[in-house]
Amino acid sequence: RNSREIQLGSLLSLAVHLSECAGNQIRAISSSGRDLETAHKTAEPTDVVTVADSIAQSVIESGFAGVYGSALKLVGEEDIPAPASPHVTDPSSLLSLPPGAAYDQDDLCVWIDPLDGTWSFVRGVLEEVSVLIGIAARDASGMWAPVAGVIHFPFRPSHPTFWGGAGVGLSSNIVAHAPRTSRTLRVATSTSHHDSRCACALQAVRDQAGLTEGFTEEESWEAVETLRVGGAGNKLAALMANEGDVYLYPREGTSRWDSCAGDAILRAMGGACLTVDGDFVDYAPDCHPKNSRGIIAC
């Protein structure tokens, strides 16, 4: 095989392993009682970073570098120096997955949120914390599409990991294509960034309740239940676990490292993350990381 080619299955299996290694570090830091060294990144009160964010990202980046060297493009949320490489030699032995598509290394990019839900983390709402690793690939049109992703929850019972990718399958805890048993539409949205735009969008969804024109019976709904939870990964995983139907966040406030992992898994399930304009999100490594046109996922 061409030495520049990377099998998606091998890359995803390594991502699953590294997400769990990072989760172990986050959990250890939390239980140690040490100073989290919390600092504000911007003027936004909830936009904070801790030592756990930096250590988790170092674990992930060094793990990828240990297998693929510096050729694989990595875009992490935190600004940290390049770490030393760990002893990981054979990603295909970590998780048994189909090989999936082979990509030239120049056509792959990994988006990393080492600790999604940092505001929840510092407040002790630990079940909302996750580790996000999304893999994007450049397609024939030049757009970078999400092709595989991992969402790991280090503080939930049994430390579950949701993963999935194009042609490589889905983790067994993902409920794909579940038939709707209720006419209530469950909409996940933000706790920390809920403003008038979110409120207006939710009201527009409520205004559609009971309408059938242009909808099949399965597509329509009679009531709306709002799920206010922290962390983008947490909200996206709710859709994968059939605990929610839509993630609605029609404003800036998330970034591509927040959405890439979940977007990739949703696409493998038959869904996607879209902007408020109805466009797919482009995960090019040199693009501005902010999702300035919001996120609607289903």
Side-chain angles (χ1 to χ4, degrees), residues 43-55:
E44 175 65 48
T46 61
D47 189 12
V48 295
V49 62
T50 71
V51 64
D53 297 71
S54 300
I55 290 175

Side-chain angles (χ1 to χ4, degrees), residues 26-279:
I26 294 167
R27 200 164 50 248
I29 291 168
S30 176
S31 63
S32 71
R34 64 172 289 182
D35 179 11
L36 295 179
E37 303 176 33
T38 305
H40 283 86
K41 299 167 72 173
T42 65
E44 175 65 48
T46 61
D47 189 12
V48 295
V49 62
T50 71
V51 64
D53 297 71
S54 300
I55 290 175
Q57 184 164 311
S58 178
V59 166
I60 295 167
E61 290 193 354
S62 63
F64 281 120
V67 175
Y68 298 110
S70 60
L72 184 64
K73 301 178 184 70
L74 306 176
V75 184
E77 179 174 7
E78 311 309 334
D79 185 14
I80 62 170
S85 299
H87 301 289
V88 180
T89 57
D90 184 7
S92 65
S93 69
L94 300 175
L95 185 66
S96 180
L97 294 176
Y103 294 94
D104 187 276
Q105 62 192 21
D106 290 341
D107 293 331
L108 287 169
C109 175
V110 179
W111 288 86
I112 303 164
D113 188 341
L115 199 165
D116 181 57
T118 306
W119 182 238
S120 296
F121 180 64
V122 300
R123 292 183 297 124
V125 189
L126 300 179
E127 68 276 5
E128 295 184 343
V129 171
S130 63
V131 179
L132 308 178
I133 303 177
I135 301 167
R138 180 164 46 194
D139 62 24
S141 71
M143 184 171 182
W144 291 73
V147 292
V150 181
I151 303 177
H152 172 65
F153 290 95
F155 294 102
R156 292 187 182 181
S158 302
H159 320 311
T161 303
F162 295 79
W163 57 262
V168 294
L170 298 166
S171 57
S172 61
N173 52 0
I174 291 177
V175 183
H177 310 297
R180 288 181 61 186
T181 58
S182 170
R183 299 300 301 280
T184 297
L185 188 72
R186 301 162 299 174
V187 181
T189 190
S190 177
T191 54
S192 58
H193 296 83
H194 193 81
D195 64 4
S196 59
R197 287 167 290 183
C198 294
C200 288
L202 281 169
Q203 187 58 51
V205 173
R206 292 189 184 99
D207 290 344
Q208 295 292 314
L211 300 182
T212 57
E213 184 176 353
F215 297 95
T216 66
E217 182 174 347
E218 181 160 335
E219 292 170 339
S220 63
W221 57 92
E222 294 177 348
V224 175
E225 176 187 355
T226 304
L227 311 174
R228 298 282 293 277
V229 293
N234 191 26
K235 289 184 273 287
L236 288 163
L239 275 58
M240 299 164 198
N242 196 29
E243 296 169 356
D245 301 303
V246 179
Y247 169 27
L248 181 62
Y249 193 65
R251 50 156 288 179
E252 72 285 350
T254 68
S255 298
R256 281 161 169 79
W257 43 67
D258 296 311
S259 60
C260 186
D263 194 352
I265 299 172
L266 287 175
R267 292 203 194 191
M269 295 171 62
C273 288
L274 304 173
T275 70
V276 294
D277 305 306
D279 298 323

